[in-house]
Amino acid sequence: KEQAQELWIALSKEAAKKICTSGRFIDISMTAWAFAKAGMAERVLFGQLATAAMACTELPPHTIANLVWAFAKTKNPNPPLFDMLATRAVENVREFDRQSVSNTVWAYATLDVCHEELFAVFGKYTVESQLWRNFSPQMASNLLWAYAKVQITITVLFDAFAEYIALHAEEFDTQNISNCAWAYANAQLPSKGVFDTLWQRSRGRLDTFRLDELCGLLWAYAKAKVCESPIFEEAIQLLLP
């Protein structure tokens, strides 16, 4: 592990010399992605990558999504970069695919960057393009979590994903269930159908939830005032000694 860390530190120095000065957006975004994937939050390198990215005249949607994801994953906030990338993203929103949409809003929410225009435009695009129909459960739960986290409630977006949940709940894992319940509870929209569907998926398997997922799930049902749900009785039986 120590040798691997030394390798990444050495790579960061080389990246700073070569990649950050190349001006190639693909080099910049993939370097950021690779370091984030490896859990290496080299702050000096990420600062240099941000400077290099801001100098790029071309930044395709996938590059924008990779960059913001990497900065969020490594907890490297950079307001000037995120402002610039939000402007680029809004201008080219119709070129974003489902993964890029989900990753982008997740990244902004993770770093508590509430860029209202970005969230509004992406929400509208996701609904009007019918892109939401092709989301994976992970993409859907990440997107809903992001909007709830920054406290932006777009009713038509949450309505669309209520339909999505009804159609795809059987594919949801415990994290997807917990995140979606948390998002709808925070959105404070009439969502009894969503909570009924999520309960049907959770029934008989609460013991497979991590403790934080279970606590989040129960909090969401209480917050949404779905107090008559059998989920509480099952949870009590599970938690009793």
Side-chain angles (χ1 to χ4, degrees):
K1 185 177 180 181
E2 187 175 330
Q3 288 180 329
Q5 189 170 14
E6 290 176 357
L7 173 61
W8 281 104
I9 292 172
L11 286 172
S12 73
K13 293 177 180 178
E14 286 301 308
K17 292 177 186 176
K18 297 179 180 178
I19 294 171
C20 291
T21 57
S22 72
R24 285 165 45 89
F25 63 79
I26 188 65
D27 293 343
I28 295 165
S29 71
M30 291 310 296
T31 300
W33 180 89
F35 274 82
K37 195 73 174 173
M40 298 299 295
E42 293 293 319
R43 297 199 179 278
V44 173
L45 174 62
F46 272 85
Q48 293 169 324
L49 289 170
T51 300
M54 292 183 71
C56 288
T57 55
E58 184 181 1
L59 284 170
H62 198 265
T63 297
I64 293 173
N66 277 347
L67 277 171
V68 295
W69 179 88
F71 275 77
K73 191 71 175 176
T74 56
K75 299 293 189 291
N76 269 307
N78 192 300
L81 176 66
F82 272 60
D83 282 347
M84 184 273 285
L85 293 178
T87 299
R88 298 280 190 97
V90 167
E91 290 172 351
N92 300 287
V93 63
R94 297 202 172 276
E95 297 176 23
F96 277 71
D97 61 18
R98 55 182 186 157
Q99 184 75 62
S100 296
V101 166
S102 181
N103 282 357
T104 299
V105 296
W106 176 88
Y108 276 78
T110 296
L111 290 179
D112 292 318
V113 182
C114 183
H115 194 289
E116 293 186 5
E117 183 182 14
L118 175 83
F119 280 91
V121 170
F122 269 47
K124 182 179 179 182
Y125 167 63
T126 301
V127 174
E128 291 183 350
S129 67
Q130 300 285 299
L131 197 64
W132 62 272
R133 294 187 181 277
N134 299 315
F135 272 46
S136 69
Q138 188 66 47
M139 293 174 199
S141 65
N142 282 352
L143 180 141
L144 290 168
W145 174 88
Y147 276 83
K149 176 77 160 43
V150 297
Q151 299 182 336
I152 293 179
T153 301
I154 300 176
T155 303
V156 291
L157 181 69
F158 278 81
D159 286 348
F161 278 101
E163 182 179 342
Y164 176 93
I165 291 169
L167 293 170
H168 299 281
E170 288 302 313
E171 303 165 33
F172 280 33
D173 63 19
T174 55
Q175 185 183 46
N176 301 152
I177 294 169
S178 183
N179 280 354
C180 285
W182 185 88
Y184 276 90
N186 273 281
Q188 298 183 23
L189 294 171
S191 311
K192 187 176 184 303
V194 169
F195 284 95
D196 287 347
T197 300
L198 293 175
W199 157 241
Q200 291 302 320
R201 177 60 177 150
S202 306
R203 184 168 57 183
R205 57 193 294 257
L206 290 184
D207 59 336
T208 66
F209 283 69
R210 297 194 316 261
L211 183 58
D212 62 310
E213 292 171 344
L214 181 58
C215 289
L217 185 65
L218 295 175
W219 177 90
Y221 274 76
K223 173 75 172 176
K225 298 181 180 179
V226 193
C227 300
E228 73 279 7
S229 173
I231 194 171
F232 292 102
E233 183 177 346
E234 183 169 322
I236 290 170
Q237 294 302 316
L238 175 65
L239 297 172
L240 282 175

